[in-house]
Amino acid sequence: AMRGLLFLFLFLFAWSGSAQNFTQFHYDIGNGLPDNKVMGVFQDSRGFMWFASNAGLTRFDGANFRNYFSTSDLSLKPSQLGGITETMPGHLAIVCAVKLIGLNTITHQFYHVPAFINRPVHDINKTSENQFLVASADTCFLMDQHLNILEAIVPPALSEPRSVHGFELDRGMYLIGNFAGYYLYNTRQKTFEPLDLGMGTTFKDYFDFQFYDSTNQWLYFVNYFTGVYRYSQKKKRLKHWSIEGNNLI
């Protein structure tokens, strides 16, 4: 929830000052949502909206809701949701309860991803080449659209053994790591370059990656105690928006 709020902050900051007119609709349990607390939103290539709520997963076609609920062997608890993405038309990949779950949106059937039945999964992010970076313990896996493993990306030892996340910055360059430390990974040369953010060794020193501005090659990180930071891909700190409201260079 905190990550979502901080991302919203960045989004609103980027759009501040530009007047926009929007039509607003309000949907709740009276319209078909199974719960009024929505934790995640995703739109697939066919235009369907998908919502993760306290009750499970919901598809919205613009008029009607279709709800999917947890079963005895499949958890769809949003508090354990790590991401929703579309791997190819008609197929979603959902990270939930530290598992990677597939959903055929044509047949409405859930299925387990063979490569990750016995591996914990914490997040999934799509690349520009229609491949996917899957965060697991100590390793980030590069997957194809059928969720077959193409490459296991193992960064140099981080300060703490945690899940390793991957984010595409530009073609051929990934950000690999977690809030305890990050590396720039050159996919062609298979090399890691540490991204020194001036992190300390305590939880209050950790930085969480939020957003990449590809136009300016700026990376945005959040520290929950000190604010939002902008870095260049050349590892230079450009700006700091502090929690106290003082914008520091």
Side-chain angles (χ1 to χ4, degrees):
M2 177 66 74
R3 183 184 177 96
L5 288 173
L6 290 167
F7 178 81
L8 180 61
F9 165 80
L10 291 174
F11 177 83
L12 292 175
F13 176 83
W15 282 83
S16 62
S18 59
Q20 300 289 322
N21 294 318
F22 298 97
T23 301
Q24 179 177 313
F25 297 95
H26 178 77
Y27 297 100
D28 57 23
I29 57 175
N31 304 105
L33 272 174
D35 191 272
N36 286 337
K37 187 174 183 180
V38 174
M39 310 292 289
V41 180
F42 177 78
Q43 184 175 28
D44 67 21
S45 61
R46 296 193 294 159
F48 292 119
M49 299 297 299
W50 296 84
F51 303 99
S53 72
N54 279 336
L57 186 68
T58 298
R59 189 194 76 176
F60 182 56
D61 63 7
N64 301 299
F65 293 91
R66 178 173 183 138
N67 299 312
Y68 304 80
F69 301 103
S70 298
T71 64
S72 58
D73 61 349
L74 181 69
S75 173
L76 294 175
K77 294 180 179 179
S79 60
Q80 299 172 317
L81 189 68
I84 305 174
T85 191
E86 186 176 44
T87 56
M88 53 185 172
H91 289 267
L92 297 183
I94 305 159
V95 179
C96 198
V98 204
K99 297 290 184 182
L100 185 60
I101 302 166
L103 171 62
N104 185 319
T105 62
I106 307 297
T107 65
H108 308 286
Q109 297 296 310
F110 288 94
Y111 55 90
H112 293 283
V113 178
F116 290 94
I117 289 178
N118 296 314
R119 286 190 178 105
V121 174
H122 301 275
D123 198 10
I124 182 169
N125 293 296
K126 190 174 184 177
T127 75
S128 61
E129 298 179 346
N130 202 31
Q131 296 173 341
F132 302 87
L133 293 163
V134 177
S136 189
D138 302 321
T139 304
C140 179
F141 293 94
L142 181 65
M143 316 287 294
D144 65 16
Q145 62 180 350
H146 300 287
L147 296 178
N148 298 311
I149 295 176
L150 300 175
E151 182 182 355
I153 304 173
V154 183
L158 297 172
S159 61
E160 295 185 24
R162 296 180 181 272
S163 59
V164 176
H165 297 255
F167 311 91
E168 183 182 44
L169 302 183
D170 299 304
R171 286 195 176 224
M173 185 66 69
Y174 296 159
L175 180 70
I176 300 293
N178 56 44
F179 54 77
Y182 294 95
Y183 292 87
L184 296 175
Y185 178 66
N186 187 307
T187 64
R188 298 180 180 89
Q189 300 175 6
K190 311 296 182 185
T191 56
F192 292 92
E193 183 179 355
L195 183 63
D196 185 8
L197 303 179
M199 296 176 174
T201 57
T202 69
F203 179 75
K204 289 187 176 181
D205 299 316
Y206 290 165
F207 280 58
D208 192 17
F209 175 71
Q210 294 291 315
F211 175 72
Y212 179 63
D213 177 353
S214 59
T215 300
N216 297 296
Q217 294 188 317
W218 291 339
L219 297 87
Y220 289 87
F221 295 85
V222 164
N223 177 287
Y224 299 146
F225 299 93
T226 59
V228 179
Y229 296 80
R230 178 199 289 163
Y231 281 81
S232 71
Q233 202 178 114
K234 295 183 179 180
K235 302 179 289 186
K236 180 181 179 181
R237 180 184 292 182
L238 302 175
K239 197 169 184 64
H240 171 208
W241 293 270
S242 71
I243 293 293
E244 289 77 18
N246 299 315
N247 292 339
L248 309 176
I249 300 298

